[in-house]
Amino acid sequence: MDNSGSPAPSADAAVAHPTEADGAETSDALVPVAEPSPTKADRRGRRLPDGWAPARTAATLDLEAGHDPAWLERELDRFRDHWAAQAGAKGRKSDWDATWRNWLRRADDYAPSRPRGGAREGPDWDRLMARAVAADAADARALDGGAA
């Protein structure tokens, strides 16, 4: 079984040799045989297999790039626990790798925004600080002259 939770096709169903009507083979070329139709269980999806890990595909690696390995491990643990706890049809998926990629996209969407620099850097900080200092000065002048 691969990481996606789908069983691997059997070796005897992979190829066949074509024959003519009299039973003689026409060539040495291998011809793919149509895979059997999915079973009812396959169409409904499967539960997350024990010890599942995402396949190392280009799409998965692109989404994981730039994330701290410790963060990825925490998210993978959360992912496994979440789907193991889902009861019934909600806990069955036909493509666990795609489900993992969507999990990462949502984690990025819901992640709290992190300041790029320190908390007291950048043009917004300077502008806001200047406005606060001016407001404090105006309040001090109003208290000194307007309270008589």
Side-chain angles (χ1 to χ4, degrees), residues 76-128:
L76 184 55
D77 288 341
R78 289 180 65 223
F79 177 85
R80 288 176 179 146
D81 288 345
H82 175 84
W83 291 111
Q86 291 298 319
K90 190 172 181 183
R92 292 189 304 262
K93 302 293 176 195
S94 59
D95 186 345
W96 283 108
D97 289 328
T99 306
W100 168 246
R101 290 190 301 271
N102 284 326
W103 181 277
L104 288 178
R105 288 180 192 109
R106 286 188 196 100
D108 283 342
D109 291 345
Y110 295 123
S113 61
R114 294 177 212 111
R116 295 188 187 273
R120 296 182 179 184
E121 295 179 3
D124 286 341
W125 170 259
D126 295 336
R127 182 178 52 80
L128 293 172

Side-chain angles (χ1 to χ4, degrees), residues 18-99:
T19 59
E20 289 185 4
D22 64 359
E25 289 189 13
T26 57
S27 75
D28 289 332
L30 299 177
V31 178
V33 173
E35 293 201 20
S37 61
T39 66
K40 184 176 180 180
D42 291 337
R43 286 190 305 266
R44 293 185 324 165
R46 296 181 181 274
R47 306 270 321 156
L48 184 67
D50 289 338
W52 178 88
R56 311 315 300 156
T57 62
T60 302
L61 293 173
D62 284 347
L63 284 169
E64 292 176 357
H67 288 290
D68 179 44
W71 181 87
L72 285 169
E73 278 299 316
R74 282 191 311 272
E75 286 300 312
L76 184 55
D77 288 341
R78 289 180 65 223
F79 177 85
R80 288 176 179 146
D81 288 345
H82 175 84
W83 291 111
Q86 291 298 319
K90 190 172 181 183
R92 292 189 304 262
K93 302 293 176 195
S94 59
D95 186 345
W96 283 108
D97 289 328
T99 306

